Amino acid sequence: MNRIVALSVLAYSITLALLIGQRLSDQAMAVIVGSVIGVAASMPMTAVVLWLSLRSRESARYATPFTRSESAPRDEAPRIMVIQPQPYVAPHYPQYQQPAQGAYLNPPSPMAHYPRPAREFKIVGQEDFHYEDRDALV
């Protein structure tokens, strides 16, 4: 009985594969065959990795457990030493003069409050406009 079921499943699979194979394009068939061959090529390495991991698990099961050696507790607290780092001194190079410390804190000049003049743009490939014509376009 088992043999008849196995043969019928095999015949059904072969018939289904032939029908699908005849209806698929060459590109679709190439993708399917490439996928099947890729999976088949990865099976041996998967089996080796599985075998090695199971073997290491079995050896770890029968290994002697790690025992911690008991030592007498210390009577004194551990010593803590704090060492101050030496301050960083920037090397002095005469050709690179640093500005005075207060130079960054100066207020803005009185000219900063006046409006800036309109910027002039040159567009390549177009004719030049006069100042009056540019205002009329805006």
Side-chain angles (χ1 to χ4, degrees):
M1 175 87 175
N2 286 339
R3 192 172 187 177
I4 294 172
V5 171
L7 286 175
S8 62
V9 168
L10 183 64
Y12 176 76
S13 300
I14 291 174
T15 304
L16 187 64
L18 287 175
L19 287 175
I20 291 174
Q22 289 175 353
R23 294 184 183 186
L24 286 179
S25 67
D26 292 338
Q27 293 172 348
M29 186 60 83
V31 168
I32 291 173
V33 170
S35 300
V36 169
I37 290 175
V39 169
S42 68
M43 288 296 182
M45 188 54 71
T46 305
V48 168
V49 168
L50 183 63
W51 176 69
L52 287 174
S53 66
L54 289 177
R55 192 178 86 174
S56 66
R57 203 178 278 178
E58 287 293 323
S59 66
R61 184 183 302 177
Y62 296 116
T64 59
F66 176 74
T67 57
R68 185 174 168 179
S69 63
E70 296 294 329
S71 61
R74 290 183 149 180
D75 291 337
E76 64 184 62
R79 296 181 184 182
I80 299 173
M81 299 176 67
V82 177
I83 300 173
Q84 294 289 336
Q86 294 182 357
Y88 175 74
V89 178
H92 179 68
Y93 298 111
Q95 66 266 27
Y96 300 113
Q97 294 294 328
Q98 294 182 348
Q101 185 69 11
Y104 296 110
L105 303 176
N106 290 340
S109 66
M111 293 299 291
H113 298 293
Y114 294 109
R116 293 184 179 177
R119 298 187 343 183
E120 296 289 328
F121 294 102
K122 295 277 185 177
I123 299 175
V124 178
Q126 291 187 358
E127 59 191 47
D128 292 332
F129 292 111
H130 293 293
Y131 188 71
E132 297 84 22
D133 294 336
R134 186 182 65 172
D135 290 337
L137 292 175
V138 176

